[in-house]
Amino acid sequence: MLGENIRKSRKKASITQEQLAKMIGVKRSVISKYENGMVDPSFSQLQRIADSLGINITELVDINDVSPSLNAAIPLVNKAKEISKRSRAGGAIILSDEDKSALTELAALLGKVPDEISNNKIISDELKHEYDNLFDALNLHGKALAVTIVAALASDPNLQGE
């Protein structure tokens, strides 16, 4: 299904396999393999494809293959992406109450579904990528606070993996 979604999105953008290949730095045959389901792109390649096509990565991933719990996380992950983009544009992140609430809700939701996340490479890679972007945008004080918060979450038995 991923390959079909890449093909449909590429055609919708009126881009040839050759053009997409050049945009993401691979040979045309690699795009063909992706579209025919012979090879799955890595998360970073999938992100480059989505960026090149001007779409969100979630448009390429078949959300019917994602559990309802993880499906509920998609808008929260998109909120984390929005926060991350703001930080890259303007430097430091100043979180609003709405931002804090969304990130807290995301952490709580993801803590309830660790096996589903670890078994879905695209989602787990995307979450790691977004966390890394957000963490990198913080100053030293923010990083220390983030580590403290993550340590507290990791010590909560209700959020621990098996």
Side-chain angles (χ1 to χ4, degrees), residues 79-153:
K79 180 67 173 178
K81 284 182 176 185
E82 175 196 318
I83 294 167
S84 179
K85 284 179 186 174
R86 280 193 321 227
S87 72
R88 281 177 265 171
I93 301 175
I94 298 174
L95 297 175
S96 68
D97 288 341
E98 179 186 340
D99 293 341
K100 291 175 189 174
S101 175
L103 293 174
T104 301
E105 186 179 347
L106 177 60
L109 178 63
L110 297 178
K112 294 177 185 174
V113 290
D115 292 335
E116 293 175 63
I117 293 168
S118 62
N119 292 331
N120 189 313
K121 178 134 177 63
I122 291 173
I123 290 175
S124 62
D125 285 353
E126 182 170 359
L127 289 170
K128 182 182 182 324
H129 175 74
E130 289 306 316
Y131 173 82
D132 289 345
N133 283 341
L134 288 167
F135 190 79
D136 288 345
L138 296 173
N139 62 23
L140 186 57
H141 177 72
K143 287 179 181 180
L145 181 59
V147 168
T148 302
I149 291 169
V150 170
L153 290 170

Side-chain angles (χ1 to χ4, degrees), residues 18-29:
E18 185 70 34
Q19 290 169 322
L20 181 58
K22 285 181 183 178
M23 295 167 92
I24 67 168
V26 298
K27 294 181 180 181
R28 187 209 55 80
S29 61

Side-chain angles (χ1 to χ4, degrees), residues 8-47:
K8 286 177 187 175
S9 297
R10 177 183 56 77
K11 288 185 176 189
K12 185 177 178 182
S14 300
I15 295 174
T16 66
Q17 285 184 342
E18 185 70 34
Q19 290 169 322
L20 181 58
K22 285 181 183 178
M23 295 167 92
I24 67 168
V26 298
K27 294 181 180 181
R28 187 209 55 80
S29 61
V30 173
I31 301 299
S32 177
K33 288 177 183 178
Y34 290 163
E35 290 183 357
N36 291 313
M38 297 170 66
V39 176
D40 284 333
S42 66
F43 171 75
S44 59
Q45 278 295 60
L46 197 57
Q47 185 65 59

Side-chain angles (χ1 to χ4, degrees), residues 68-81:
S69 300
L70 291 179
N71 202 13
I74 291 173
L76 299 171
V77 169
N78 288 335
K79 180 67 173 178
K81 284 182 176 185

